[in-house]
């Protein structure tokens, strides 16, 4: 879904849910809306780093303007090549 963000950038939104699975069941423990403001291939702004996904150390892959952008939370930077 595309919306307009307060920053004035067009914003791609992704609704995601966090699930925990054990041997008996799968339980939804949270959900969030991830907003990515685009400036062509660049990420202009995002709320991703304030979400539960980032706090759990989960990376997020976004595609826009023929570019693939990998959002890496601070806790996972040790996995990247700087």
């Amino acid at each position: 879904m595309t919306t307009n963000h307060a920053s004035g950038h067009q914003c791609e939104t992704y609704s995601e849910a966090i699930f925990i699975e054990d041997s008996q069941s799968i339980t939804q423990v949270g959900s969030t809306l991830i907003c990515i403001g685009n400036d062509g291939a660049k990420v202009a702004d995002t709320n991703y780093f304030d979400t539960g996904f980032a706090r759990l150390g989960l990376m997020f892959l976004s595609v826009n303007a023929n570019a693939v952008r990998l959002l890496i939370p601070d806790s996972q930077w040790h996995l990247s090549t700087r």
Side-chain angles (χ1 to χ4, degrees), residues 9-38:
H9 292 104
Q10 196 171 57
C11 185
E12 298 294 324
T13 55
Y14 306 88
S15 180
E16 298 293 336
I18 299 173
F19 295 92
I20 293 179
E21 181 177 359
D22 62 25
S23 61
Q24 303 297 323
S25 64
I26 299 175
T27 305
Q28 182 175 349
V29 295
S31 62
T32 193
L33 187 66
I34 297 172
C35 181
I36 299 176
N38 298 303

mmCIF file of all heavy atoms in Angstrom, residues 9-38:
data_model
loop_
_atom_site.group_PDB
_atom_site.id
_atom_site.type_symbol
_atom_site.label_atom_id
_atom_site.label_comp_id
_atom_site.label_asym_id
_atom_site.label_seq_id
_atom_site.Cartn_x
_atom_site.Cartn_y
_atom_site.Cartn_z
ATOM 1 N N HIS A 9 7.336 12.439 1.941
ATOM 2 C CA HIS A 9 7.719 11.363 1.044
ATOM 3 C C HIS A 9 6.560 10.394 0.865
ATOM 4 O O HIS A 9 5.758 10.207 1.766
ATOM 5 C CB HIS A 9 8.917 10.580 1.610
ATOM 6 C CG HIS A 9 10.164 11.370 1.623
ATOM 7 N ND1 HIS A 9 10.673 11.913 2.775
ATOM 8 C CD2 HIS A 9 11.004 11.721 0.630
ATOM 9 C CE1 HIS A 9 11.785 12.554 2.490
ATOM 10 N NE2 HIS A 9 12.006 12.458 1.200
ATOM 11 N N GLN A 10 6.519 9.788 -0.305
ATOM 12 C CA GLN A 10 5.557 8.722 -0.507
ATOM 13 C C GLN A 10 6.041 7.527 0.290
ATOM 14 O O GLN A 10 7.236 7.245 0.351
ATOM 15 C CB GLN A 10 5.456 8.379 -1.986
ATOM 16 C CG GLN A 10 4.243 7.578 -2.327
ATOM 17 C CD GLN A 10 4.055 7.445 -3.807
ATOM 18 O OE1 GLN A 10 4.965 6.963 -4.479
ATOM 19 N NE2 GLN A 10 2.912 7.852 -4.311
ATOM 20 N N CYS A 11 5.148 6.818 0.918
ATOM 21 C CA CYS A 11 5.523 5.799 1.881
ATOM 22 C C CYS A 11 4.939 4.452 1.495
ATOM 23 O O CYS A 11 3.737 4.340 1.292
ATOM 24 C CB CYS A 11 4.997 6.235 3.247
ATOM 25 S SG CYS A 11 5.490 5.177 4.572
ATOM 26 N N GLU A 12 5.790 3.446 1.359
ATOM 27 C CA GLU A 12 5.332 2.074 1.158
ATOM 28 C C GLU A 12 5.108 1.464 2.532
ATOM 29 O O GLU A 12 5.979 1.540 3.394
ATOM 30 C CB GLU A 12 6.372 1.251 0.397
ATOM 31 C CG GLU A 12 6.668 1.757 -0.989
ATOM 32 C CD GLU A 12 5.495 1.632 -1.935
ATOM 33 O OE1 GLU A 12 4.739 0.641 -1.829
ATOM 34 O OE2 GLU A 12 5.324 2.532 -2.762
ATOM 35 N N THR A 13 3.955 0.880 2.760
ATOM 36 C CA THR A 13 3.658 0.302 4.068
ATOM 37 C C THR A 13 3.522 -1.204 3.950
ATOM 38 O O THR A 13 3.000 -1.722 2.967
ATOM 39 C CB THR A 13 2.386 0.896 4.677
ATOM 40 O OG1 THR A 13 1.311 0.740 3.751
ATOM 41 C CG2 THR A 13 2.557 2.377 4.991
ATOM 42 N N TYR A 14 4.021 -1.878 4.951
ATOM 43 C CA TYR A 14 3.981 -3.330 5.013
ATOM 44 C C TYR A 14 3.423 -3.722 6.369
ATOM 45 O O TYR A 14 3.930 -3.288 7.392
ATOM 46 C CB TYR A 14 5.396 -3.924 4.875
ATOM 47 C CG TYR A 14 6.124 -3.453 3.643
ATOM 48 C CD1 TYR A 14 6.886 -2.297 3.667
ATOM 49 C CD2 TYR A 14 6.039 -4.164 2.462
ATOM 50 C CE1 TYR A 14 7.550 -1.850 2.529
ATOM 51 C CE2 TYR A 14 6.705 -3.727 1.329
ATOM 52 C CZ TYR A 14 7.457 -2.579 1.359
ATOM 53 O OH TYR A 14 8.108 -2.151 0.244
ATOM 54 N N SER A 15 2.380 -4.516 6.370
ATOM 55 C CA SER A 15 1.812 -4.982 7.625
ATOM 56 C C SER A 15 2.365 -6.376 7.887
ATOM 57 O O SER A 15 2.237 -7.272 7.048
ATOM 58 C CB SER A 15 0.293 -5.021 7.535
ATOM 59 O OG SER A 15 -0.251 -5.471 8.737
ATOM 60 N N GLU A 16 3.009 -6.550 9.012
ATOM 61 C CA GLU A 16 3.643 -7.817 9.340
ATOM 62 C C GLU A 16 3.237 -8.249 10.735
ATOM 63 O O GLU A 16 2.872 -7.445 11.570
ATOM 64 C CB GLU A 16 5.174 -7.688 9.277
ATOM 65 C CG GLU A 16 5.711 -7.338 7.911
ATOM 66 C CD GLU A 16 5.520 -8.405 6.862
ATOM 67 O OE1 GLU A 16 5.388 -9.593 7.219
ATOM 68 O OE2 GLU A 16 5.483 -8.066 5.684
ATOM 69 N N ALA A 17 3.325 -9.522 10.987
ATOM 70 C CA ALA A 17 2.999 -10.064 12.306
ATOM 71 C C ALA A 17 4.168 -10.892 12.810
ATOM 72 O O ALA A 17 4.905 -11.490 12.027
ATOM 73 C CB ALA A 17 1.740 -10.917 12.234
ATOM 74 N N ILE A 18 4.349 -10.913 14.110
ATOM 75 C CA ILE A 18 5.385 -11.724 14.743
ATOM 76 C C ILE A 18 4.706 -12.930 15.381
ATOM 77 O O ILE A 18 3.740 -12.789 16.131
ATOM 78 C CB ILE A 18 6.146 -10.928 15.818
ATOM 79 C CG1 ILE A 18 6.842 -9.715 15.189
ATOM 80 C CG2 ILE A 18 7.157 -11.823 16.542
ATOM 81 C CD1 ILE A 18 7.482 -8.790 16.190
ATOM 82 N N PHE A 19 5.194 -14.119 15.072
ATOM 83 C CA PHE A 19 4.628 -15.351 15.598
ATOM 84 C C PHE A 19 5.676 -16.115 16.384
ATOM 85 O O PHE A 19 6.862 -16.073 16.059
ATOM 86 C CB PHE A 19 4.122 -16.246 14.462
ATOM 87 C CG PHE A 19 2.972 -15.667 13.695
ATOM 88 C CD1 PHE A 19 3.183 -14.902 12.572
ATOM 89 C CD2 PHE A 19 1.675 -15.884 14.116
ATOM 90 C CE1 PHE A 19 2.133 -14.364 11.862
ATOM 91 C CE2 PHE A 19 0.609 -15.353 13.421
ATOM 92 C CZ PHE A 19 0.836 -14.594 12.280
ATOM 93 N N ILE A 20 5.235 -16.814 17.403
ATOM 94 C CA ILE A 20 6.093 -17.741 18.137
ATOM 95 C C ILE A 20 5.530 -19.140 17.934
ATOM 96 O O ILE A 20 4.336 -19.375 18.117
ATOM 97 C CB ILE A 20 6.141 -17.401 19.642
ATOM 98 C CG1 ILE A 20 6.843 -16.055 19.845
ATOM 99 C CG2 ILE A 20 6.848 -18.507 20.424
ATOM 100 C CD1 ILE A 20 6.918 -15.614 21.280
ATOM 101 N N GLU A 21 6.393 -20.059 17.535
ATOM 102 C CA GLU A 21 5.962 -21.425 17.291
ATOM 103 C C GLU A 21 6.593 -22.343 18.333
ATOM 104 O O GLU A 21 7.773 -22.247 18.625
ATOM 105 C CB GLU A 21 6.389 -21.863 15.890
ATOM 106 C CG GLU A 21 5.980 -23.256 15.535
ATOM 107 C CD GLU A 21 6.364 -23.646 14.112
ATOM 108 O OE1 GLU A 21 6.943 -22.810 13.395
ATOM 109 O OE2 GLU A 21 6.110 -24.784 13.751
ATOM 110 N N ASP A 22 5.770 -23.215 18.891
ATOM 111 C CA ASP A 22 6.311 -24.272 19.744
ATOM 112 C C ASP A 22 5.757 -25.586 19.223
ATOM 113 O O ASP A 22 5.110 -25.630 18.185
ATOM 114 C CB ASP A 22 5.995 -24.030 21.231
ATOM 115 C CG ASP A 22 4.506 -24.011 21.540
ATOM 116 O OD1 ASP A 22 3.723 -24.635 20.784
ATOM 117 O OD2 ASP A 22 4.130 -23.380 22.528
ATOM 118 N N SER A 23 6.000 -26.665 19.907
ATOM 119 C CA SER A 23 5.592 -27.974 19.410
ATOM 120 C C SER A 23 4.077 -28.150 19.383
ATOM 121 O O SER A 23 3.568 -29.025 18.690
ATOM 122 C CB SER A 23 6.221 -29.081 20.258
ATOM 123 O OG SER A 23 5.782 -28.950 21.605
ATOM 124 N N GLN A 24 3.338 -27.302 20.094
ATOM 125 C CA GLN A 24 1.886 -27.449 20.184
ATOM 126 C C GLN A 24 1.101 -26.458 19.327
ATOM 127 O O GLN A 24 0.015 -26.766 18.872
ATOM 128 C CB GLN A 24 1.438 -27.269 21.652
ATOM 129 C CG GLN A 24 2.099 -28.222 22.625
ATOM 130 C CD GLN A 24 1.768 -29.671 22.340
ATOM 131 O OE1 GLN A 24 0.656 -29.971 21.947
ATOM 132 N NE2 GLN A 24 2.731 -30.554 22.515
ATOM 133 N N SER A 25 1.639 -25.269 19.128
ATOM 134 C CA SER A 25 0.836 -24.249 18.453
ATOM 135 C C SER A 25 1.709 -23.121 17.914
ATOM 136 O O SER A 25 2.890 -23.033 18.210
ATOM 137 C CB SER A 25 -0.194 -23.671 19.432
ATOM 138 O OG SER A 25 0.476 -23.003 20.482
ATOM 139 N N ILE A 26 1.076 -22.251 17.152
ATOM 140 C CA ILE A 26 1.697 -21.023 16.673
ATOM 141 C C ILE A 26 0.858 -19.876 17.232
ATOM 142 O O ILE A 26 -0.361 -19.843 17.068
ATOM 143 C CB ILE A 26 1.727 -20.959 15.138
ATOM 144 C CG1 ILE A 26 2.546 -22.123 14.576
ATOM 145 C CG2 ILE A 26 2.275 -19.624 14.670
ATOM 146 C CD1 ILE A 26 2.525 -22.205 13.070
ATOM 147 N N THR A 27 1.506 -18.927 17.907
ATOM 148 C CA THR A 27 0.806 -17.831 18.557
ATOM 149 C C THR A 27 1.292 -16.499 18.012
ATOM 150 O O THR A 27 2.498 -16.266 17.951
ATOM 151 C CB THR A 27 1.049 -17.864 20.089
ATOM 152 O OG1 THR A 27 0.681 -19.153 20.574
ATOM 153 C CG2 THR A 27 0.249 -16.791 20.796
ATOM 154 N N GLN A 28 0.357 -15.639 17.626
ATOM 155 C CA GLN A 28 0.731 -14.296 17.197
ATOM 156 C C GLN A 28 0.969 -13.457 18.438
ATOM 157 O O GLN A 28 0.126 -13.372 19.312
ATOM 158 C CB GLN A 28 -0.355 -13.658 16.343
ATOM 159 C CG GLN A 28 0.050 -12.283 15.841
ATOM 160 C CD GLN A 28 -0.963 -11.679 14.899
ATOM 161 O OE1 GLN A 28 -1.880 -12.344 14.446
ATOM 162 N NE2 GLN A 28 -0.784 -10.417 14.596
ATOM 163 N N VAL A 29 2.155 -12.852 18.533
ATOM 164 C CA VAL A 29 2.504 -12.073 19.717
ATOM 165 C C VAL A 29 2.566 -10.578 19.442
ATOM 166 O O VAL A 29 2.767 -9.796 20.351
ATOM 167 C CB VAL A 29 3.839 -12.543 20.338
ATOM 168 C CG1 VAL A 29 3.700 -13.957 20.856
ATOM 169 C CG2 VAL A 29 4.974 -12.436 19.346
ATOM 170 N N GLY A 30 2.385 -10.181 18.214
ATOM 171 C CA GLY A 30 2.417 -8.762 17.901
ATOM 172 C C GLY A 30 2.312 -8.529 16.414
ATOM 173 O O GLY A 30 2.466 -9.441 15.620
ATOM 174 N N SER A 31 2.006 -7.306 16.062
ATOM 175 C CA SER A 31 1.986 -6.913 14.650
ATOM 176 C C SER A 31 2.357 -5.442 14.575
ATOM 177 O O SER A 31 2.275 -4.714 15.556
ATOM 178 C CB SER A 31 0.622 -7.163 14.028
ATOM 179 O OG SER A 31 -0.358 -6.388 14.665
ATOM 180 N N THR A 32 2.784 -5.037 13.411
ATOM 181 C CA THR A 32 3.198 -3.648 13.238
ATOM 182 C C THR A 32 3.043 -3.248 11.788
ATOM 183 O O THR A 32 2.901 -4.092 10.908
ATOM 184 C CB THR A 32 4.653 -3.450 13.703
ATOM 185 O OG1 THR A 32 4.914 -2.066 13.794
ATOM 186 C CG2 THR A 32 5.644 -4.099 12.762
ATOM 187 N N LEU A 33 3.066 -1.977 11.545
ATOM 188 C CA LEU A 33 3.030 -1.438 10.202
ATOM 189 C C LEU A 33 4.389 -0.801 9.946
ATOM 190 O O LEU A 33 4.795 0.117 10.652
ATOM 191 C CB LEU A 33 1.925 -0.391 10.093
ATOM 192 C CG LEU A 33 1.630 0.162 8.719
ATOM 193 C CD1 LEU A 33 1.074 -0.934 7.813
ATOM 194 C CD2 LEU A 33 0.619 1.283 8.826
ATOM 195 N N ILE A 34 5.101 -1.309 8.964
ATOM 196 C CA ILE A 34 6.409 -0.768 8.615
ATOM 197 C C ILE A 34 6.210 0.223 7.476
ATOM 198 O O ILE A 34 5.613 -0.100 6.456
ATOM 199 C CB ILE A 34 7.382 -1.883 8.195
ATOM 200 C CG1 ILE A 34 7.620 -2.833 9.365
ATOM 201 C CG2 ILE A 34 8.689 -1.295 7.688
ATOM 202 C CD1 ILE A 34 8.415 -4.061 9.001
ATOM 203 N N CYS A 35 6.711 1.424 7.664
ATOM 204 C CA CYS A 35 6.576 2.491 6.668
ATOM 205 C C CYS A 35 7.967 2.844 6.141
ATOM 206 O O CYS A 35 8.888 3.063 6.925
ATOM 207 C CB CYS A 35 5.918 3.712 7.306
ATOM 208 S SG CYS A 35 5.677 5.066 6.153
ATOM 209 N N ILE A 36 8.101 2.879 4.813
ATOM 210 C CA ILE A 36 9.371 3.248 4.188
ATOM 211 C C ILE A 36 9.097 4.381 3.211
ATOM 212 O O ILE A 36 8.345 4.219 2.253
ATOM 213 C CB ILE A 36 10.019 2.062 3.461
ATOM 214 C CG1 ILE A 36 10.321 0.940 4.451
ATOM 215 C CG2 ILE A 36 11.278 2.506 2.725
ATOM 216 C CD1 ILE A 36 10.880 -0.306 3.821
ATOM 217 N N GLY A 37 9.678 5.539 3.486
ATOM 218 C CA GLY A 37 9.587 6.678 2.574
ATOM 219 C C GLY A 37 10.708 6.573 1.563
ATOM 220 O O GLY A 37 11.871 6.387 1.924
ATOM 221 N N ASN A 38 10.365 6.659 0.290
ATOM 222 C CA ASN A 38 11.347 6.449 -0.771
ATOM 223 C C ASN A 38 11.762 7.749 -1.430
ATOM 224 O O ASN A 38 10.967 8.656 -1.622
ATOM 225 C CB ASN A 38 10.741 5.531 -1.842
ATOM 226 C CG ASN A 38 10.403 4.170 -1.286
ATOM 227 O OD1 ASN A 38 11.257 3.481 -0.763
ATOM 228 N ND2 ASN A 38 9.144 3.780 -1.395
#
